[in-house]
Amino acid sequence: MIQSSMSALRPLRTLLFGEHYSLTRFCSGFVSRMRYINRLKENDAACLSALQNGHIFLFHRLIPLLQCSDPETFRPIALTYSEVQSVLHKCGSDGSLLKESILIGCSEQNHAQFCLDVGELDPAAIAQNCKGTFMDLRKAFFLLEGAEAPLVAKAQALLQWHQINRFCGATGQLTQRNQAGSQRACSSSSIVYYPKMSPVVIVLVSDGKRCLLGRQSSFPRGLYSALAGFCDMGETLEEALRREVAEEVGLEVQNIIYSSSQHWPFPHSSFMLACHATVSPAHSQLNVDHLELEDARWFTEEEITCALQVKAPPWRDHRPAVWLPPKHAVAHRLIMEWREQQHSQDTE
Ligand SMILES: NC(=O)C1=CN([C@@H]2O[C@H](COP(=O)(O)OP(=O)(O)OC[C@H]3O[C@@H](n4cnc5c(N)ncnc54)[C@H](OP(=O)(O)O)[C@@H]3O)[C@@H](O)[C@H]2O)C=CC1
Ligand SMILES: [Mg+2]
């Protein structure tokens, strides 16, 4: 009885207080962390104080510092302010570099998280003092676990954005960052610059029985992925998706269904918007633009299942004919969703 009267009240609460009513009640840790991060972006003094009590991840010329527990498991090293200070001193720096740290998040234990590029210092000395190793993000991204890969990717993307946005496009003057590193401003033009991602559509096209994957000549040998392309200025997600598929493989898609999104750090920050779409089997003849794609083909469920068996990325000396994007990539998620849907159709 109590349960049913409580649930009858819930829509009324939502009407009166909005969706956030239930969110704040049940996710207060999440809400307070989000509000804390927001405050640090707006308040330089609070951000500096959070840095002194927070965790810092080091990079050297955009390459993250990781710790290896066994050959297959890598984690970013979360250092305290005093640990970084001590490492910087040992490597001949006065520690003033620490103020250049950039806010990247807040851990579930409520520690503000920052990243810092120590590009002017000797990477070997830093790595030795931290008992870590600097590893290229393209490799590291696939060896890191769960939530750590996106955090490291976000850190690298923000560091890179600051490095290439030091000047105002209107006045040519140096821009100044806020303490959190969430924006840069030009005092002459008053323009405020914010970190930017380029929107990209990525789509898994199906003809009901097969799904469509393609590869660019720059992909590692044997890797096939869902079709993707940058959105043009002024386009909707649906328009960009229809245009990209038409350009790359000469098909007209229907039934666009949004799946999910992700930040993709390579080669620069993209905001991947992932969708499913269909073509009728009668209109599935491919006309591939070989300037854009080296190859595109239809894959059956069996072929997908077989390609998913390959551990991605495969070792250099053991490259199979076809392999698929690894689990961190949203293309992988689209493929898994498609396979699940085929499975449920088969068992109906
Ligand atoms: N996470 C995932 O699962 C996947 C992610 N991706 C990512 O999606 C992105 C887009 O895929 P891709 O097929 O290459 O895109 P496109 O099919 O749009 O082709 C890329 C070309 O588009 C032009 N271009 C237009 N706008 C931009 C822009 N804002 N930034 C860079 N280039 C632009 C460039 O051409 P030009 O140089 O001639 O000007 C570039 O070479 C890539 O960054 C790729 O890494 C792709 C597949 C899977
Ligand atoms: Mg493309």
Side-chain angles (χ1 to χ4, degrees), residues 198 200 202 216 219 225-226 228-230 244 248 262 264 266-267 270 272 292 325 329-332:
S198 299
V200 170
I202 176 160
Q216 295 177 9
F219 284 11
S225 185
F230 290 93
E244 276 296 329
E248 295 192 350
Q262 88 170 147
W264 189 246
F266 315 115
S270 294
M272 309 292 305
E292 298 227 12
V330 76
H332 184 94

